[in-house]
mmCIF file of all heavy atoms in Angstrom:
data_model
loop_
_atom_site.group_PDB
_atom_site.id
_atom_site.type_symbol
_atom_site.label_atom_id
_atom_site.label_comp_id
_atom_site.label_asym_id
_atom_site.label_seq_id
_atom_site.Cartn_x
_atom_site.Cartn_y
_atom_site.Cartn_z
ATOM 1 N N VAL K 22 94.683 168.258 21.081
ATOM 2 C CA VAL K 22 93.434 167.462 21.097
ATOM 3 C C VAL K 22 92.373 168.181 20.233
ATOM 4 O O VAL K 22 91.501 167.463 19.671
ATOM 5 C CB VAL K 22 92.855 167.329 22.539
ATOM 6 C CG1 VAL K 22 93.665 166.326 23.304
ATOM 7 C CG2 VAL K 22 92.719 168.629 23.275
ATOM 8 N N SER K 62 74.967 165.971 13.142
ATOM 9 C CA SER K 62 73.545 165.853 12.828
ATOM 10 C C SER K 62 73.396 166.208 11.352
ATOM 11 O O SER K 62 74.194 166.890 10.777
ATOM 12 C CB SER K 62 72.717 166.753 13.670
ATOM 13 O OG SER K 62 73.035 168.124 13.361
ATOM 14 N N SER K 96 69.681 161.678 38.603
ATOM 15 C CA SER K 96 68.848 162.317 39.607
ATOM 16 C C SER K 96 69.328 161.876 41.022
ATOM 17 O O SER K 96 69.648 160.722 41.259
ATOM 18 C CB SER K 96 67.358 161.914 39.414
ATOM 19 O OG SER K 96 67.153 160.641 39.874
ATOM 20 N N ARG K 117 69.926 155.367 19.766
ATOM 21 C CA ARG K 117 69.840 154.432 20.917
ATOM 22 C C ARG K 117 70.262 152.991 20.518
ATOM 23 O O ARG K 117 71.004 152.308 21.245
ATOM 24 C CB ARG K 117 68.409 154.412 21.433
ATOM 25 C CG ARG K 117 68.334 153.889 22.803
ATOM 26 C CD ARG K 117 66.967 153.967 23.352
ATOM 27 N NE ARG K 117 66.927 153.373 24.631
ATOM 28 C CZ ARG K 117 65.889 153.348 25.424
ATOM 29 N NH1 ARG K 117 64.792 153.901 25.027
ATOM 30 N NH2 ARG K 117 65.946 152.744 26.569
ATOM 31 N N ARG K 119 72.277 152.116 18.376
ATOM 32 C CA ARG K 119 73.688 151.976 18.018
ATOM 33 C C ARG K 119 74.565 152.017 19.287
ATOM 34 O O ARG K 119 75.825 151.770 19.171
ATOM 35 C CB ARG K 119 74.088 153.110 17.121
ATOM 36 C CG ARG K 119 73.682 152.873 15.634
ATOM 37 C CD ARG K 119 74.071 154.004 14.760
ATOM 38 N NE ARG K 119 73.030 155.088 14.720
ATOM 39 C CZ ARG K 119 73.264 156.277 14.272
ATOM 40 N NH1 ARG K 119 74.455 156.621 13.804
ATOM 41 N NH2 ARG K 119 72.281 157.176 14.231
ATOM 42 N N HIS K 195 84.032 172.894 25.776
ATOM 43 C CA HIS K 195 83.153 173.386 24.726
ATOM 44 C C HIS K 195 83.871 174.560 24.011
ATOM 45 O O HIS K 195 84.169 175.563 24.650
ATOM 46 C CB HIS K 195 81.856 173.859 25.301
ATOM 47 C CG HIS K 195 81.201 172.860 26.166
ATOM 48 N ND1 HIS K 195 80.595 171.726 25.643
ATOM 49 C CD2 HIS K 195 81.058 172.786 27.516
ATOM 50 C CE1 HIS K 195 80.090 170.991 26.688
ATOM 51 N NE2 HIS K 195 80.393 171.623 27.800
ATOM 52 N N PHE K 203 74.962 179.571 17.203
ATOM 53 C CA PHE K 203 74.232 178.416 17.737
ATOM 54 C C PHE K 203 74.411 178.183 19.244
ATOM 55 O O PHE K 203 73.414 177.898 19.946
ATOM 56 C CB PHE K 203 74.657 177.127 16.980
ATOM 57 C CG PHE K 203 74.190 177.199 15.531
ATOM 58 C CD1 PHE K 203 75.104 177.489 14.529
ATOM 59 C CD2 PHE K 203 72.861 177.009 15.214
ATOM 60 C CE1 PHE K 203 74.699 177.561 13.200
ATOM 61 C CE2 PHE K 203 72.452 177.099 13.895
ATOM 62 C CZ PHE K 203 73.317 177.398 12.872
ATOM 63 N N HIS K 211 66.305 187.770 23.072
ATOM 64 C CA HIS K 211 65.398 188.295 22.100
ATOM 65 C C HIS K 211 64.707 187.233 21.273
ATOM 66 O O HIS K 211 63.794 187.512 20.487
ATOM 67 C CB HIS K 211 66.155 189.283 21.102
ATOM 68 C CG HIS K 211 67.364 188.654 20.514
ATOM 69 N ND1 HIS K 211 67.281 187.773 19.496
ATOM 70 C CD2 HIS K 211 68.680 188.809 20.806
ATOM 71 C CE1 HIS K 211 68.519 187.403 19.152
ATOM 72 N NE2 HIS K 211 69.382 188.006 19.950
ATOM 73 N N PHE K 231 84.513 176.121 29.133
ATOM 74 C CA PHE K 231 84.303 176.732 27.834
ATOM 75 C C PHE K 231 85.560 177.426 27.323
ATOM 76 O O PHE K 231 86.168 178.164 28.101
ATOM 77 C CB PHE K 231 83.167 177.809 27.886
ATOM 78 C CG PHE K 231 81.779 177.187 27.765
ATOM 79 C CD1 PHE K 231 81.312 176.367 28.780
ATOM 80 C CD2 PHE K 231 81.006 177.405 26.635
ATOM 81 C CE1 PHE K 231 80.071 175.760 28.623
ATOM 82 C CE2 PHE K 231 79.780 176.768 26.512
ATOM 83 C CZ PHE K 231 79.269 175.979 27.533
ATOM 84 N N LEU K 232 85.913 177.141 26.069
ATOM 85 C CA LEU K 232 87.049 177.833 25.474
ATOM 86 C C LEU K 232 86.480 178.827 24.528
ATOM 87 O O LEU K 232 85.900 178.463 23.514
ATOM 88 C CB LEU K 232 87.945 176.816 24.775
ATOM 89 C CG LEU K 232 89.321 177.263 24.336
ATOM 90 C CD1 LEU K 232 90.305 176.067 24.317
ATOM 91 C CD2 LEU K 232 89.296 177.922 22.982
ATOM 92 N N GLN K 263 75.077 182.078 9.567
ATOM 93 C CA GLN K 263 73.826 181.404 9.910
ATOM 94 C C GLN K 263 73.752 179.987 9.342
ATOM 95 O O GLN K 263 72.909 179.144 9.803
ATOM 96 C CB GLN K 263 72.638 182.234 9.376
ATOM 97 C CG GLN K 263 72.538 183.595 9.938
ATOM 98 C CD GLN K 263 72.393 183.611 11.435
ATOM 99 O OE1 GLN K 263 71.691 182.839 12.024
ATOM 100 N NE2 GLN K 263 73.087 184.580 12.107
ATOM 101 N N LEU K 342 84.611 180.985 43.016
ATOM 102 C CA LEU K 342 84.810 179.699 42.534
ATOM 103 C C LEU K 342 86.115 179.112 43.034
ATOM 104 O O LEU K 342 86.202 177.984 43.554
ATOM 105 C CB LEU K 342 84.719 179.604 40.976
ATOM 106 C CG LEU K 342 84.917 178.194 40.403
ATOM 107 C CD1 LEU K 342 83.672 177.355 40.687
ATOM 108 C CD2 LEU K 342 85.161 178.266 38.929
ATOM 109 N N LEU K 356 90.713 165.131 60.838
ATOM 110 C CA LEU K 356 90.649 163.827 61.420
ATOM 111 C C LEU K 356 91.284 163.752 62.773
ATOM 112 O O LEU K 356 90.716 163.174 63.693
ATOM 113 C CB LEU K 356 91.319 162.805 60.434
ATOM 114 C CG LEU K 356 91.122 161.351 60.910
ATOM 115 C CD1 LEU K 356 89.687 160.950 60.849
ATOM 116 C CD2 LEU K 356 92.000 160.410 60.110
ATOM 117 N N TYR K 369 85.392 158.862 78.864
ATOM 118 C CA TYR K 369 84.028 158.809 79.393
ATOM 119 C C TYR K 369 83.624 157.393 79.704
ATOM 120 O O TYR K 369 83.060 157.051 80.699
ATOM 121 C CB TYR K 369 83.070 159.536 78.487
ATOM 122 C CG TYR K 369 81.668 159.410 78.880
ATOM 123 C CD1 TYR K 369 81.133 160.013 79.994
ATOM 124 C CD2 TYR K 369 80.745 158.660 78.102
ATOM 125 C CE1 TYR K 369 79.833 159.914 80.385
ATOM 126 C CE2 TYR K 369 79.412 158.568 78.434
ATOM 127 C CZ TYR K 369 78.943 159.201 79.554
ATOM 128 O OH TYR K 369 77.641 159.113 79.899
ATOM 129 N N LYS K 400 78.223 165.423 69.517
ATOM 130 C CA LYS K 400 77.633 166.238 68.462
ATOM 131 C C LYS K 400 78.678 166.506 67.368
ATOM 132 O O LYS K 400 78.369 166.360 66.155
ATOM 133 C CB LYS K 400 77.141 167.557 69.070
ATOM 134 C CG LYS K 400 76.054 168.216 68.293
ATOM 135 C CD LYS K 400 75.494 169.435 69.065
ATOM 136 C CE LYS K 400 75.164 170.530 68.100
ATOM 137 N NZ LYS K 400 74.947 171.782 68.838
ATOM 138 N N LEU K 402 81.358 164.824 66.645
ATOM 139 C CA LEU K 402 81.686 163.614 65.936
ATOM 140 C C LEU K 402 80.614 163.227 64.923
ATOM 141 O O LEU K 402 80.877 162.867 63.796
ATOM 142 C CB LEU K 402 81.867 162.417 66.936
ATOM 143 C CG LEU K 402 83.186 162.446 67.686
ATOM 144 C CD1 LEU K 402 83.099 161.555 68.915
ATOM 145 C CD2 LEU K 402 84.318 162.040 66.793
ATOM 146 N N ASN K 486 92.241 140.489 75.412
ATOM 147 C CA ASN K 486 92.091 141.933 75.171
ATOM 148 C C ASN K 486 90.686 142.400 75.187
ATOM 149 O O ASN K 486 90.368 143.586 74.960
ATOM 150 C CB ASN K 486 92.635 142.251 73.786
ATOM 151 C CG ASN K 486 93.801 143.228 73.895
ATOM 152 O OD1 ASN K 486 93.643 144.285 74.597
ATOM 153 N ND2 ASN K 486 94.892 142.923 73.292
ATOM 154 N N HIS K 500 68.932 145.971 70.682
ATOM 155 C CA HIS K 500 68.384 144.608 70.897
ATOM 156 C C HIS K 500 68.114 144.440 72.397
ATOM 157 O O HIS K 500 67.049 143.826 72.801
ATOM 158 C CB HIS K 500 69.393 143.584 70.444
ATOM 159 C CG HIS K 500 69.597 143.600 68.915
ATOM 160 N ND1 HIS K 500 68.607 143.250 68.057
ATOM 161 C CD2 HIS K 500 70.650 143.868 68.226
ATOM 162 C CE1 HIS K 500 69.038 143.332 66.837
ATOM 163 N NE2 HIS K 500 70.312 143.743 66.844
ATOM 164 N N ARG K 505 64.114 144.001 76.754
ATOM 165 C CA ARG K 505 63.572 144.452 78.016
ATOM 166 C C ARG K 505 62.102 144.771 77.841
ATOM 167 O O ARG K 505 61.251 144.457 78.761
ATOM 168 C CB ARG K 505 64.342 145.678 78.523
ATOM 169 C CG ARG K 505 65.692 145.323 79.060
ATOM 170 C CD ARG K 505 66.331 146.517 79.778
ATOM 171 N NE ARG K 505 65.635 146.736 81.066
ATOM 172 C CZ ARG K 505 65.901 147.885 81.800
ATOM 173 N NH1 ARG K 505 66.767 148.768 81.366
ATOM 174 N NH2 ARG K 505 65.256 148.055 82.903
ATOM 175 N N LYS K 525 60.876 136.010 70.520
ATOM 176 C CA LYS K 525 61.780 137.129 70.388
ATOM 177 C C LYS K 525 62.947 137.011 71.389
ATOM 178 O O LYS K 525 64.117 137.230 71.083
ATOM 179 C CB LYS K 525 61.065 138.459 70.583
ATOM 180 C CG LYS K 525 60.512 139.065 69.334
ATOM 181 C CD LYS K 525 60.323 140.559 69.603
ATOM 182 C CE LYS K 525 58.968 141.037 69.173
ATOM 183 N NZ LYS K 525 58.623 142.384 69.730
ATOM 184 N N ILE K 563 61.132 135.497 84.785
ATOM 185 C CA ILE K 563 60.101 134.975 83.945
ATOM 186 C C ILE K 563 60.272 133.504 83.646
ATOM 187 O O ILE K 563 59.319 132.726 83.677
ATOM 188 C CB ILE K 563 60.036 135.816 82.625
ATOM 189 C CG1 ILE K 563 59.527 137.179 82.902
ATOM 190 C CG2 ILE K 563 59.113 135.128 81.607
ATOM 191 C CD1 ILE K 563 59.733 138.152 81.763
ATOM 192 N N SER K 573 72.351 130.748 79.876
ATOM 193 C CA SER K 573 72.234 130.715 81.319
ATOM 194 C C SER K 573 73.458 129.987 81.887
ATOM 195 O O SER K 573 73.955 130.320 82.987
ATOM 196 C CB SER K 573 70.951 130.030 81.764
ATOM 197 O OG SER K 573 71.021 128.653 81.441
#
Side-chain angles (χ1 to χ4, degrees):
Chain K
V22 288
S62 67
S96 75
R117 201 177 175 174
R119 280 179 271 166
H195 309 288
F203 294 103
H211 54 78
F231 277 68
L232 193 151
Q263 300 297 322
L342 181 71
L356 187 67
Y369 173 69
K400 204 171 146 196
L402 285 164
N486 240 312
H500 292 295
R505 285 190 72 189
K525 270 203 225 163
I563 291 168
S573 69

